[in-house]
Amino acid sequence: MVRRFPSTIAAAVEHEIVITKSRFITTLAPVAGVDEADAVIADVRRRRWDARHNCTAMVTGVLGDQARSSDDGEPSGTAGVPMLEVLRRRDLTDLVAVVTRYFGGVKLGAGGLVRAYSTSVSEALDAARLVRREALTDVRFDVDHAEAGRIDNVLRDWVRNHHATLGPTTYGRVATFEVRVPRAALDVLTADLAAASAGALEPVIGEEHVVDVTAD
């Protein structure tokens, strides 16, 4: 069974909507952990010090097992938690959302605030480029220089069809190839390399890592 991991976003996004004269500006940013998320929040609050509220939500960790939110002065449960629920519903991690509200003079009520903050984050995520993550296993093997070009072509085609990634090739006494492969495809890679080299290639299996593999 293939393990699934929460996705993240490729780059920061800023998105603004206006609801009943109030401006809601969402800042989304990918982060490596809580410290980076706190730094993003501090930067937004410094730049938008004149706003009525800078509400926040973050999810971090490979499995998305760390989460935090803040209503920043809005009625309890009307901002941070709805923002966090959007991130959870989208199955995302390693990102922070800050929604800055410039009050327009008209109160929205609890339900209106929940909808406003949820919509702000949802629309910002719609504009973001998502990055999918998978657990891939390191595989390394050596190839004679005379065969390196042919094996390189074989590998480039192979990784496209097996959700794998091709790393850098190191040239020394021999050419050393590096590939990251889903664990379920390790036996297939070993068999395909043997077929492509008449049994000459001997892959060395390394550690497993959770990596960014595609951006949608």
Side-chain angles (χ1 to χ4, degrees):
M1 180 178 180
V2 178
R3 284 184 293 167
R4 292 182 57 83
F5 296 88
S7 301
T8 189
I9 60 175
V13 172
E14 188 171 290
H15 180 75
E16 178 175 345
I17 62 175
V18 177
I19 299 176
T20 319
K21 298 184 179 180
S22 282
R23 296 172 61 206
F24 293 85
I25 306 170
T26 299
T27 300
L28 297 176
V31 295
V34 173
D35 288 346
E36 281 193 19
D38 285 340
V40 171
I41 293 168
D43 178 65
V44 173
R45 285 178 172 164
R46 177 185 57 79
R47 291 187 291 109
R48 301 211 167 101
W49 58 270
D50 56 338
R52 177 72 66 91
H53 307 281
N54 284 292
C55 304
T56 64
M58 69 173 77
V59 183
T60 57
V62 171
L63 298 177
D65 51 357
Q66 301 175 64
R68 197 171 76 197
S69 65
S70 169
D71 294 313
D72 194 38
E74 292 282 29
S76 179
T78 62
V81 170
M83 292 165 59
L84 184 59
E85 287 178 349
V86 174
L87 302 183
R88 290 295 201 194
R89 192 163 58 246
R90 300 277 187 117
D91 195 23
L92 297 170
T93 190
D94 287 342
L95 82 165
V96 60
V98 184
V99 178
T100 301
R101 182 189 183 191
Y102 286 95
F103 184 54
V106 179
K107 293 184 177 180
L108 301 180
L113 288 172
V114 169
R115 287 188 296 274
Y117 281 99
S118 298
T119 300
S120 297
V121 175
S122 291
E123 289 192 8
L125 286 172
D126 289 341
R129 187 160 57 93
L130 298 184
V131 176
R132 183 168 55 85
R133 287 175 166 174
E134 286 186 4
L136 300 180
T137 300
D138 290 336
V139 179
R140 179 179 55 81
F141 53 91
D142 296 332
V143 180
D144 289 337
H145 287 288
E147 289 291 296
R150 185 176 66 83
I151 295 299
D152 182 75
N153 290 333
V154 170
L155 279 177
R156 290 184 185 280
D157 182 64
W158 195 92
V159 298
R160 282 195 297 269
N161 292 292
H162 294 85
H163 301 290
T165 62
L166 182 61
T169 303
T170 304
Y171 292 92
R173 183 182 57 82
V174 293
T176 301
F177 287 84
E178 296 180 13
V179 191
R180 282 186 168 176
V181 182
R183 181 164 293 277
L186 287 172
D187 289 344
V188 177
L189 176 63
T190 299
D192 289 348
L193 288 176
S197 66
L201 296 182
E202 299 181 6
V204 176
I205 310 301
E207 296 181 352
E208 186 178 68
H209 305 271
V210 177
V211 298
D212 298 340
V213 289
T214 60
D216 299 321

